[in-house]
Amino acid sequence: MSIQTRIPLTENWQAIQLASDSQVLPSALSSVLQAAGLACLPAQVPGTIAAALRAAGQFEYGKDNFDAVDVWYFCDLDLPEHAAWLHFEGLASHAEVYWNDSLILRSDNMFIAHSFDLAAHTLSGKGRLSIRFLALNTLLAQRRPRPRWKTRLVEQQQLRWLRTSLLGRMPGWSPPVAPVGPYRPVVLELQTAVQVIDQQLTSKLDGEDGVLELELTVHSLQAISACFIQIAGQTEALKWQSLGENRYRILGLCRIPAVKKWWPHTHGDAALYALELHVQTASHIQTIALGHTGFRQIRVDQRDGDFHLHVNDVSVFCRGACWTPADTISLQNEATELRQMLSLARDAGMNMLRVVGTMVYETAEFYQLCDELGILVWQDCMFANMDYPVNDAQFAASISLEVQQFLQRTQASPCIAVVCGNSEVEQQAAMLGQPAELWRNDFFAQTLPNLCQQIRPDVQYWPSSPSGGVMPFQLDSGVAHYFGVGAYLRPLEDARRSGVRFTSECLGFSNMPDDDLLDGMLKNGEAVGSHPAWKLGIPRDNGTSWDFEDVRDHYMAGLYKVNPAGLRYADQQRYLALARTTTGEVMARTIEEWRRAGSGCHGALIWFWRDLRPGAGWGIIDAHGKPKAAYYYLKRAMAALTVFMTDEGLNGLALHVVNDMAQAFDGELELALYRHAASRVAHGRISLQVAAHAAIRVQDYALLPHFMDTTYAYRFGPAGHDVAVAQLYRTGEAQVCASDFHFPAGHQFAQVSDLGLQAHCSLMDDGNAILHLSTQKMAQAVAIQIPGWLPDDNYFHLAPASEKQVILRATGGKQIQTGQVQALNAQGTIRIQIPQ
């Protein structure tokens, strides 16, 4: 038997918007709607009113202000006699729940789950379950004490009092779609013989052994006669004691000798163990699945202002992105899409994702998949930028329960490494000139770390992102938000000069999507550029006169020596091609700078994962879930095994080989220099070994037969080469396993008519395809665009006289059998055909 019979209430819901503060009883809704000529919408639960409108073909960005109306959800139920509980796992934002016309529950925090005891209230039979979501604007209009400082992040400062997501309420970068509705499941629970009411699970390492401690509170209709747990193929007997009223406390400790440790995927296997509780009574034995857990140790070295995360006593360079919901309209994680998104992150070498305090706590499926895929999670609590009224007793109790519930429901997940109090609260206060004693309050300084210690002693607590220096936003101490390369238009060298230790938010750019998304989003007469429809998809900081497209164009001008505005007018396709690769080149070079041997940086999380709406947003994944060019550049820079070069000026090129994997790397490193992107003028190859979880630096002179001005720093006449190529090989293998390119004279290669670039496709047995590429001259940023097919590599450089194979995977959508390949330094495109 399962732990309990839980029936998600997903069917037969309807929703309607009414004028704010409409004093209507649920029984009168039908007549009110009929008199007003209004019709209800079929609604998905879990979901939002915006998602219901979208499903009905009535949604349009900016058309509805969901904070200005009351939203009703209702469905008719037939409750069986053995119905025990109604669970509401998340109601956004302030809600009243009715059974027929009786108010049974109020909720004023969208991040808190509520349970209603049906048996205690003897509710059964047929009736209507209704949920009224109160207009947020009405609540915001109530008079409350003013904050000590104001933030530009939101327009309505009183949002600090209301526990709701800031999504849809942040002008400039969040589309105006406020989440309103039962965005988490509504579940009917039936009475069973044995039910788990509360559980506390703690998994930890003790030397090479795993130790699991558990304390459960259960309700049993019969007296318990035996109790044990199964884990890792072994069975451990548990102790229990009666608490009265059919309640029991179950206690136990299990030791698993030589346990398989849980690792981030870049450093080892993400080993997980299933947990099963068996409870025996006089009439039966009930098996209760308690999920899974993993055994690992998280430690952060903070000496001398550092922030250096270690997993199982191994140094980990944390890299990844700030996570954005897969669907910002419904806030749902459809299972296939969620796995696809997290698999894309894993495949890109990302070993950490940050759930940011401006959004929502993620679904259980998100954390379970991160456990499975070996992706660490930096978890913000849902607070950002504002002066929260934590001294108000009712507010303090609500937010304490909110965090407590989150920690409890994810307590067995090994993926969670850091729990952070908030996003930019300390930074905001400091930047607005507040005294240091106001930067951090008791809730973030004491209450939250105490909760973490009680419920998740295995994770690291950090009070605010950023914080740790003399000023919270100091870059070379603690945790930083780094936008020097990016919003502040600093040169690429600033990434080293700033001495970043760990950046939980960095490198925000307007990343250009591929043509298929542009073709689908732009209507007749709309175009990339200054058109108002296009600019809606371009992020900006609220109140600034510039946006992040201006930031991208600044780096395009420096990288390719062009006038972006003039190029956009004269040759938009060329502008789009350069726009896509610009942000990828800049982000990859910055990540490589921080990953190099000798760097003092130990982590970097890109701002951010996926666009919130169609356009050239901050995401490295577009709004339809397709990787942009920047994703592929980062995939190469973040790989567990990789090689890259850094320009050390008069010291030449440094070649860095990074091996995060659990096994030592044995192989060969090759460096070749080319003139006119075709003729090889110098070459060298050496054998090397890189230990597991290590990185080495090799000087270019160690490979070359004689002096070459590899960085064109001495400038004794014209440059002797315009391309340097580093390639890494495994011992005994001819295939390149990692490569990097350096352009000492710049990226501005002229477009030529014939590179000798050729391409053709062949089918694989599994229905996917292989794209075979070869070139005579260096092919720059080779772009593959085939709708319905996902390349495992894209926007890569090809060395002169080289070949490459790219796997094309069918995405499951509409597939086109024809596409194109184009290099940035080629005048034309190559048409390709995928065989049927």
Side-chain angles (χ1 to χ4, degrees):
M1 298 178 63
S2 64
I3 179 174
Q4 55 204 7
T5 303
R6 293 172 61 91
I7 305 172
L9 301 180
T10 60
E11 306 294 331
N12 303 317
W13 286 90
Q14 293 183 293
I16 189 67
Q17 300 179 68
L18 294 178
S20 63
D21 206 24
S22 299
Q23 299 298 319
V24 180
L25 288 174
S27 60
L29 270 179
S30 298
S31 58
V32 170
L33 298 178
Q34 186 176 4
L38 298 174
C40 294
L41 291 170
Q44 301 78 37
V45 174
T48 63
I49 185 62
L53 288 167
R54 180 178 61 183
Q58 299 177 26
F59 175 78
E60 184 179 331
Y61 284 107
K63 176 184 175 184
D64 294 279
N65 182 357
F66 303 119
D67 285 341
V69 295
D70 285 356
V71 174
W72 284 86
Y73 274 71
F74 54 90
C75 72
D76 295 324
L77 296 176
D78 188 357
L79 298 175
E81 290 185 5
H82 55 294
W85 296 89
L86 269 175
H87 300 291
F88 303 89
E89 297 183 6
L91 303 172
S93 291
H94 282 227
E96 298 172 344
V97 181
Y98 295 85
W99 177 251
N100 296 323
D101 281 346
S102 297
L103 178 65
I104 63 172
L105 178 69
R106 281 194 174 95
S107 173
D108 60 3
N109 187 330
M110 75 174 278
F111 305 121
I112 287 180
H114 301 274
S115 295
F116 182 77
D117 189 340
L118 293 168
H121 293 81
T122 62
L123 292 186
S124 62
K126 294 183 178 180
R128 172 164 287 188
L129 179 64
S130 305
I131 311 173
R132 175 195 175 202
F133 297 91
L134 285 68
L136 208 67
N137 287 353
T138 301
L139 301 171
L140 290 170
Q142 298 175 10
R143 293 182 62 85
R144 296 184 177 93
R146 293 181 178 180
R148 292 168 293 184
W149 72 82
K150 293 184 177 181
T151 176
R152 284 186 174 181
L153 182 69
V154 297
E155 291 181 331
Q156 175 50 265
Q157 301 298 315
Q158 296 299 340
L159 274 170
R160 71 194 188 101
W161 284 92
L162 305 182
R163 294 307 297 142
T164 188
S165 174
L166 300 184
L167 278 170
R169 302 175 175 108
M170 295 174 286
W173 66 268
S174 174
V177 186
V180 176
Y183 79 109
R184 292 292 182 253
V186 178
V187 178
L188 174 65
E189 180 182 338
L190 306 181
Q191 185 70 58
T192 56
V194 179
Q195 294 174 302
V196 175
I197 299 171
D198 184 51
Q199 68 181 43
Q200 177 72 35
L201 299 173
T202 302
S203 56
K204 61 183 179 181
L205 288 173
D206 182 11
E208 296 302 309
D209 296 347
V211 176
L212 175 72
E213 297 181 47
L214 72 161
E215 179 177 344
L216 308 174
T217 304
V218 303
H219 181 276
S220 179
L221 298 177
Q222 297 180 347
I224 295 177
S225 58
C227 189
F228 55 92
I229 191 168
Q230 287 186 331
I231 179 174
Q234 64 186 62
T235 301
E236 297 284 344
L238 303 175
K239 298 179 180 180
W240 70 94
Q241 61 187 83
S242 174
L243 300 176
E245 299 180 344
N246 296 328
R247 293 195 175 202
Y248 295 83
R249 178 180 290 118
I250 299 174
L251 301 170
L253 185 147
C254 305
R255 178 176 291 271
I256 301 96
V259 73
K260 292 181 180 179
K261 299 175 183 177
W262 186 94
W263 292 92
H265 73 92
T266 48
H267 288 65
D269 295 329
L272 294 174
Y273 292 87
L275 306 174
E276 279 191 351
L277 176 69
H278 300 266
V279 179
Q280 183 173 339
T281 65
S283 61
H284 73 287
I285 296 178
Q286 183 159 324
T287 300
I288 301 172
L290 297 179
H292 63 246
T293 193
F295 296 89
R296 52 92 184 107
Q297 180 193 63
I298 301 290
R299 177 175 61 85
V300 174
D301 186 346
Q302 298 180 38
R303 291 174 295 180
D304 300 322
D306 207 351
F307 190 94
H308 186 180
L309 191 137
H310 292 70
V311 179
N312 304 330
D313 288 327
V314 171
S315 168
V316 173
F317 184 92
C318 300
R319 67 274 193 179
C322 295
W323 176 258
T324 42
D327 182 358
T328 55
I329 293 176
S330 70
L331 294 184
Q332 300 312 296
N333 285 327
E334 191 276 325
T336 301
E337 184 177 25
L338 179 63
R339 179 173 287 277
Q340 180 187 20
M341 287 295 99
L342 290 175
S343 296
L344 281 174
R346 186 187 192 279
D347 293 345
M350 295 185 176
N351 59 19
M352 177 176 274
L353 295 171
R354 175 181 168 215
V355 180
V356 186
T358 52
M359 303 197 187
V360 293
Y361 300 101
E362 268 298 340
T363 60
E365 293 76 15
F366 171 84
Y367 301 103
Q368 290 165 6
L369 273 174
C370 287
D371 290 341
E372 175 189 330
L373 297 174
I375 300 174
L376 296 163
V377 173
W378 172 299
Q379 176 68 54
D380 283 3
C381 298
M382 293 300 118
F383 305 91
N385 294 72
M386 293 187 286
D387 179 25
Y388 290 95
V390 298
N391 292 325
D392 179 90
Q394 183 177 351
F395 185 87
S398 178
I399 58 178
S400 294
L401 178 59
E402 163 192 325
V403 177
Q404 179 180 339
Q405 284 190 353
F406 169 77
L407 293 173
Q408 287 176 333
R409 74 178 174 91
T410 58
Q411 64 185 191
S413 285
C415 68
I416 298 179
V418 179
V419 172
C420 181
N422 63 73
S423 172
E424 296 190 346
V425 169
E426 291 187 20
Q427 171 179 290
Q428 188 80 84
M431 281 191 164
L432 292 174
Q434 297 295 314
E437 59 268 22
L438 298 185
W439 298 350
R440 186 181 303 172
N441 57 48
D442 289 346
F443 181 74
F444 299 121
Q446 297 177 17
T447 304
L448 279 186
N450 288 340
L451 282 172
C452 286
Q453 182 60 35
Q454 293 168 18
I455 303 172
R456 289 298 308 256
D458 61 310
V459 305
Q460 293 291 318
Y461 177 76
W462 193 251
S464 186
S465 178
S467 65
V470 176
M471 282 289 177
F473 44 85
Q474 184 176 334
L475 297 176
D476 59 358
S477 185
V479 174
H481 287 186
Y482 177 79
F483 294 99
V485 175
Y488 305 131
L489 309 183
R490 304 290 294 171
L492 299 190
E493 294 79 10
D494 188 72
R496 181 179 298 192
R497 187 181 303 125
S498 294
V500 175
R501 300 298 188 94
F502 191 106
T503 172
S504 54
E505 188 174 310
C506 63
L507 301 175
F509 288 94
S510 171
N511 291 305
M512 187 67 69
D514 282 350
D515 285 342
D516 49 356
L517 184 134
L518 299 181
D519 293 342
M521 68 170 284
L522 294 175
K523 301 175 184 177
N524 187 31
E526 299 175 355
V528 172
S530 58
H531 194 285
W534 172 252
K535 284 298 184 182
L536 289 173
I538 305 300
R540 65 166 62 242
D541 285 337
N542 193 27
T544 61
S545 60
W546 52 270
D547 62 29
F548 281 80
E549 196 157 51
D550 299 323
V551 173
R552 184 191 66 225
D553 286 357
H554 167 83
Y555 287 96
M556 183 196 300
L559 200 65
Y560 291 109
K561 311 303 179 190
V562 296
N563 175 2
L567 184 62
R568 188 170 66 242
Y569 300 153
D571 188 348
Q572 187 171 91
Q573 285 304 309
R574 180 66 174 170
Y575 171 81
L576 293 175
L578 296 184
R580 292 181 182 117
T581 57
T582 292
T583 58
E585 291 279 3
V586 170
M587 283 196 274
R589 286 302 165 202
T590 306
I591 294 295
E592 289 166 354
E593 168 59 41
W594 289 331
R595 286 193 76 189
R596 65 181 171 83
S599 168
C601 182
H602 302 295
L605 305 179
I606 300 297
W607 184 258
F608 50 48
W609 172 248
R610 179 171 173 171
D611 284 350
L612 300 177
R613 66 179 297 168
W618 280 313
I620 58 172
I621 304 292
D622 71 24
H624 295 167
K626 179 182 177 182
K628 302 182 189 179
Y631 167 88
Y632 291 101
Y633 280 89
L634 289 168
K635 182 177 182 178
R636 295 186 286 270
M638 292 182 174
L641 175 67
T642 191
V643 61
F644 53 84
M645 294 176 279
T646 56
D647 186 332
E648 303 297 332
L650 295 176
N651 286 323
L653 286 174
L655 285 72
H656 303 268
V657 181
V658 181
N659 177 32
D660 282 343
M661 298 186 298
Q663 302 81 29
F665 171 79
D666 288 289
E668 295 180 309
L669 177 63
E670 183 179 65
L671 176 64
L673 309 182
Y674 296 89
R675 182 184 294 125
H676 305 314
S679 303
R680 193 169 77 180
V681 296
H683 170 260
R685 186 162 172 158
I686 61 171
S687 297
L688 52 76
Q689 183 179 70
V690 186
H693 311 314
I696 65 169
R697 167 177 167 156
V698 180
Q699 190 63 41
D700 54 1
Y701 306 138
L703 287 91
L704 299 177
H706 52 76
F707 170 75
M708 296 286 292
D709 188 4
T710 53
T711 59
Y712 194 43
Y714 291 93
R715 298 183 181 273
F716 298 149
H721 66 284
D722 49 22
V723 180
V725 183
Q727 294 182 314
L728 194 64
Y729 301 84
R730 297 184 188 276
T731 299
E733 296 183 7
Q735 185 176 355
V736 175
C737 59
S739 63
D740 191 36
F741 289 68
H742 179 260
F743 307 115
H747 290 67
Q748 63 280 10
F749 288 89
Q751 290 179 282
V752 299
S753 59
D754 186 13
L755 297 174
L757 180 63
Q758 296 182 344
H760 70 276
C761 284
S762 62
L763 280 180
M764 301 170 65
D765 292 339
D766 60 3
N768 296 317
I770 299 178
L771 176 63
H772 305 265
L773 294 161
S774 64
T775 187
Q776 293 303 308
K777 297 181 179 180
M778 192 273 297
Q780 185 184 21
V782 177
I784 305 165
Q785 296 205 34
I786 315 171
W789 298 85
L790 180 68
D792 67 348
D793 198 6
N794 207 350
Y795 295 95
F796 48 81
H797 308 310
L798 275 179
S802 67
E803 298 179 350
K804 183 179 178 71
Q805 293 184 353
V806 177
I807 296 177
L808 306 174
R809 302 189 187 281
T811 60
K814 183 179 180 181
Q815 293 167 8
I816 307 298
Q817 299 305 118
T818 60
Q820 66 179 34
V821 173
Q822 183 172 21
L824 206 59
N825 59 332
Q827 290 179 352
T829 62
I830 299 174
R831 302 293 295 177
I832 53 176
Q833 179 77 33
I834 297 178
Q836 296 187 3

